[in-house]
Amino acid sequence: MKSSWKIETQAVQGSYEPKATESRIPAICQSTTFKYDSADHVAALFDLDKADPFYTRLGNPTTDSFEGKVAMMEGGVGALATSSGQAASAFAILNIARSGQHVVSASTLYGGTYSLFANTLPKLGVEVTFVDPEASHEELKKAFRPETRCIFAETIGNPGLNVLDFEKFSALANEMGLPLIIDNTFGTPYLCRPFEHGADIVVHSATKYIDGHATSVGGVIVDSGRFDWSNGKFPELTEPDVSYHGLRYVEKFGPLAYIIKARVQYMRDLGATPGPMNTFLFQHGLTTLPLRMERHCDNALAVARHLEKHPQVSWVNYPGLDSHPSYALAQRYLPRGASGVLTFGIKGGAAAGKTFMESTKLIALVVHVGDARSCVLHPASTTHRQLSEEQQIASGVTPDLIRLSVGIEHIDDILADIDQALAACK
Ligand code: PLP
């Protein structure tokens, strides 16, 4: 059984099984549409009685092989690939929260997600209350309303790098009868297993470690298949859908109800579809994800330890350091390593930070993380610049914070580049 394979094997061999003479790896099926012999076959597709591909906005064999592999690696029942991580987060929420409803989210989020929640979802009538993930269970409970429909948080906050207390958040979600949606982009299916810690839905920016080579923007939603949508709060999943001849998702699709609804309603109507070339690259990226993550984690820990001892560095934030406030949570939820991103402050503040970023040679100044190549960024002046200073602080960004995404190059070369860039800041 493939589902009992170790994740390293699933990453390499999962979800695609070629027959004799078929291509060894999933082919790039660069086609908008597919041919049929009978009108009845096409009608069955439109009635969702068959799952064959019929139009690439709704499904494509290459995309299928990516979705199957990532679902298997996360331990879910199904997945939906999207054209970006942003689309994955937006669809994951809109699939269950409509105008007049409400979401509770950890405040420690990627800047784009924060902006989606603070500005765009409210324009669509979905309000979001941000909570401090370190708050107590009792404090967190105060954020909930009768119309709340889900809880959202990142495994490792970007760029605050706080590790989520899954036990606290999943207990809260259970108590409220709501799904817990986790952005596992920094966690990756290899380092963190949100479904084993009570999450119901996982989203990823596949752009990051899943791709791993900075080739493509994309996202994915994975469904654990475990949430009980018939608890009375989610009539859109249990009552007839007029846009599908009165189809009831839970009745027809059981544990796949949520992920099929996201595909046939939201992907059909809003169309944030990834191209087959990109999903080919994502499934290709997954093949080496476990190996790459091991090296990312080893290198990031070595860089964090090096910076911690450096006289020009005022602080280092990496959950793999035993001095980190999230260290115990990282040991529990990220036992294989605390991923490849760390942040630090240089003595000399924002000005020294700017000099540092302009002085690295191997480490490139790019708006990205999760690439095999090391990269550096100053979030306050870039990814989080649209947020107010107050919002920046709430999402974990201080003015002097420098974010390093440590790549998989040889550690000696990474450390030498950091040292020469720090020397330039003196
Ligand atoms: N979630 C996290 C944690 C991210 O870091 C990002 C992007 O940096 C996103 C979501 C959004 O993903 P994308 O850029 O693929 O839309």
Side-chain angles (χ1 to χ4, degrees), residues 84-86 110 113 154 158 183 185-186 205 207-208 217-218:
S84 67
Q86 285 299 101
Y110 162 63
T113 313
E154 293 179 1
N158 173 15
D183 181 336
T185 300
F186 278 27
S205 167
T207 320
K208 306 296 174 325
V217 172

Side-chain angles (χ1 to χ4, degrees), residues 11 16 28 30-31 44 120 165 170 216 218 224 271 328 355 363 396 399 411 422-423:
Y16 177 68
I28 304 169
Q30 194 70 42
S31 179
T120 301
D165 185 338
S170 65
S216 316
S224 69
T355 309
I363 304 170
I411 188 61
L422 282 170

Side-chain angles (χ1 to χ4, degrees), residues 140-369:
L140 291 171
K141 262 175 83 169
K142 293 183 192 154
F144 289 81
R145 308 176 187 168
E147 61 275 17
T148 308
R149 285 298 171 270
C150 62
I151 315 179
F152 189 100
E154 293 179 1
T155 301
I156 306 176
N158 173 15
L161 306 183
N162 55 303
V163 177
L164 188 75
D165 185 338
F166 279 90
E167 189 177 340
K168 182 170 69 180
F169 270 69
S170 65
L172 202 61
N174 265 338
E175 192 179 326
M176 300 293 168
L178 298 172
L180 176 60
I181 304 180
I182 294 295
D183 181 336
N184 197 30
T185 300
F186 278 27
T188 78
Y190 180 67
L191 300 177
C192 182
R193 316 278 301 154
F195 295 154
E196 289 172 12
H197 307 302
D200 300 289
I201 307 293
V202 158
V203 294
H204 285 277
S205 167
T207 320
K208 306 296 174 325
Y209 289 109
I210 289 180
D211 172 347
H213 302 79
T215 69
S216 316
V217 172
V220 67
I221 308 172
V222 188
D223 186 351
S224 69
R226 287 204 304 253
F227 188 79
D228 175 15
W229 302 108
S230 43
N231 68 3
K233 291 195 160 121
F234 303 93
E236 280 199 50
L237 280 131
T238 51
E239 299 306 313
D241 176 0
V242 288
S243 75
Y244 260 113
H245 327 299
L247 171 88
R248 294 169 196 259
Y249 292 96
V250 169
E251 185 184 273
K252 184 156 176 118
F253 300 112
L256 287 163
Y258 170 93
I259 203 70
I260 290 186
K261 178 177 176 295
R263 182 185 299 278
V264 303
Q265 270 187 354
Y266 279 92
M267 199 52 94
R268 177 193 63 184
D269 296 349
L270 300 181
T273 313
M277 177 71 194
N278 287 8
T279 52
F280 168 80
L281 289 165
F282 295 145
Q283 70 74 30
H284 209 48
L286 284 174
T287 310
T288 55
L289 183 81
L291 275 179
R292 284 187 285 111
M293 291 321 296
E294 275 173 22
R295 179 67 80 86
H296 278 296
C297 292
D298 289 351
N299 281 355
L301 183 59
V303 169
R305 286 182 174 149
H306 183 76
L307 289 173
E308 224 182 7
K309 289 191 292 230
H310 202 287
Q312 278 169 268
V313 172
S314 40
W315 54 268
V316 183
N317 180 21
Y318 181 64
L321 287 176
D322 56 15
S323 57
H324 194 274
S326 285
Y327 181 69
L329 290 171
Q331 294 294 299
R332 180 165 178 196
Y333 298 116
L334 298 151
R336 291 167 152 148
S339 203
V341 180
L342 60 91
T343 59
F344 68 102
I346 303 184
K347 290 180 185 156
K354 187 165 178 283
T355 309
F356 178 84
M357 286 190 300
E358 290 172 354
S359 305
T360 56
K361 296 189 168 66
L362 176 89
I363 304 170
L365 172 52
V366 296
V367 183
H368 202 28
V369 295

